[in-house]
Amino acid sequence: MENPTQHLTPEEQFQARIDADVRIEPKDWMPDAYRKTLIRQISQHAHSELVGMLPEGNWITRAPSLKRKSILLSKVQDEAGHGLYLYSAAETLGTTRDQMLADLHSGKAKYSSIFNYPTLSWADMGCVGWLVDGAAILNQVPLCRTSYGPYARAMVRVCKEESFHQRQGFEIMQTLCEGAESQKAMAQEALNRWWWPTLMMFGPKDEDSPNTAQSMNWRIKRFTNDELRQKFVDMMVPQAEFLGLTVPDEKVQWNEARQAYDYGEVNWDEFWAVVKGNGLCNRDRLGARVKAHEEGAWVREAAMAHAAKRAERELVAA
Amino acid sequence: MQDDMQFASTENPALATYTPAVRQQLFQFVLQLADTSLILGHRLSEWCGHGPILEQDLAMANIALDLLGETRSLYQYAAQLEGQGRTEDDLAYLRSATEYRNPLLVEQPNGDFADTVVRQFLFDNFHYHFLKQLLTNADERLAAIAEKSLKEATYHLKWSSEWIIRLGDGTDESRRRVEKSITELWRFSGELTTPTALEKSLQAMGLIPEYEDVQASMTAHAERVLTEATLAIPQQIFMLTGGKDGRHTEHLGYILTELQYMQRTFPGLTW
């Protein structure tokens, strides 16, 4: 019997599989642009986990109780774990961790801009978990169904842990909001700083996001930036109200007709400034990563040299 | 992440048999163990996000978390022994540097990775062999905590021993660095098994292990590891002591300033 797809070009066959929601696996043929887009996206995601350890790591030594300290430390450790399996997922596309790190360190590869904001108070640990991880989850849950198999499977694991982190963050906020006036003020002040930057995490407006259409067509992406941003606002405004906090946007209002919250315009000048390297912490974050990598070079070399010596000895013994 | 409160939920039945004086001494000793794990865990957690490679970042965070878990069990037991209604957080966050009883070794700065590995190796070598002895100890609760921590300490000692070997028998640079760290840090190792007056008293009552056996096992392990690493154990060096009696290096004050910042700035609140 004649195969109905045999007259199709490889591109057409590929798209037919995508359209049928068949997962693409590492050994399958894929268009170069698909491969490149995925490497860019997965490595960016891995870098975000790695750089994302820094703003929270900043508070491990100052956590206000031993219980909070151990929760925070294990959370940051989870992020390192996410980084590891995302780097592995990207490696299945033919790149290496060394190459990806070199691109991060040279500034060629990006990471989530949210981590270029400073963590200034303990309430920031609440906001990072509640808002930043909340936004990350909205971005990431659809990726569990993304077309590339290794990425989708890594995301299933990541999402499970992220939702746990988000609850922990909310719980920090709740404890602050049920506490003393100084704690409530700390919570509100942190929300004021983190609200708009988290809205920016969904990326530019749809009309300014040139890659969205192709990514949706390849089912790498499942929702547009603005759709996700709206979902986030609809999810978070009631939670802020529950906490007794005020979202720092006077335009936030329930729209009965749309069955969604209206909200104000994001400061896109700030968004682009931070993306281009002019946030408060861009230099510090990247600087810390480069420093760790450079100062760790002799350790990695020693481990390799020792492994080589050992292998040689075992060969001689055998 | 589970909140491990298993040791706090019940009171050790043996407590009723201790005289107030013994109870006070045991309290001081458990505090010493808790301070030790806390301060070393704190130092290791400073590496978080800055390790030489992601896998080792994870490993160090993991060890820090284990030590923090042990810290909490110990402070909770210490609070029971004291019986004054203080909590684990009161004990960690509201005592000054001179009240802290950790040995000097664990408060030493991270330095480079070789310094951290050597500090960890010296501690793990003590911790593992000490916990093993503590298992058969007269105090039930301490033995129970030791049982849980020993599983973790076994992994810690494996990790730091393997790194000593890799660095010693790695490159010229790694060898030079680890030798320097050994020279710098070995002088803090003697304190671990030099009993203080408090420890001597508890040893005499059979409540904590004698250190001779612990030291013998430590020496044997250190010789094995350093030989494989092609490194030498420093001989005839002056051993610094004092931490277990509250006389610390200047580093501890800065650790506590950071560690206690929130509790000192916002006293009496729940977090």
Side-chain angles (χ1 to χ4, degrees), chain A residues 185-207:
Chain A
M186 193 188 287
Q188 181 64 54
E189 190 277 333
L191 174 60
N192 293 349
R193 275 184 292 113
W194 287 95
W195 176 254
W196 289 107
T198 45
L199 290 191
M200 296 175 198
M201 282 177 70
F202 299 96
K205 283 195 285 197
D206 289 349
E207 65 245 44

Side-chain angles (χ1 to χ4, degrees), chain A residues 43 47 87 90-91 95-104 109:
Chain A
S43 66
H47 297 329
Y87 282 124
E91 282 180 328
T95 183
T96 62
R97 205 203 299 182
D98 282 346
Q99 182 57 53
M100 289 184 269
L101 288 177
D103 289 344
L104 171 69

Side-chain angles (χ1 to χ4, degrees), chain B residues 201-268:
Chain B
S201 164
L202 288 164
Q203 283 168 340
M205 290 184 279
L207 284 171
I208 66 166
E210 298 287 340
Y211 287 150
E212 284 83 357
D213 290 349
V214 177
Q215 182 61 59
S217 308
M218 285 167 65
T219 305
H221 182 76
E223 277 170 1
R224 213 163 38 240
V225 171
L226 269 77
T227 303
E228 195 178 340
T230 70
L231 296 166
I233 293 184
Q235 303 296 325
Q236 312 268 323
I237 50 171
F238 187 87
M239 290 291 182
L240 293 173
T241 58
K244 293 198 290 190
D245 284 317
R247 293 188 310 276
H248 292 277
T249 58
E250 290 175 348
H251 302 296
L252 184 64
Y254 293 95
I255 293 176
L256 295 185
T257 301
E258 207 170 320
L259 179 91
Q260 299 179 337
Y261 159 66
M262 289 293 291
Q263 291 273 352
R264 299 288 192 185
T265 311
F266 303 95

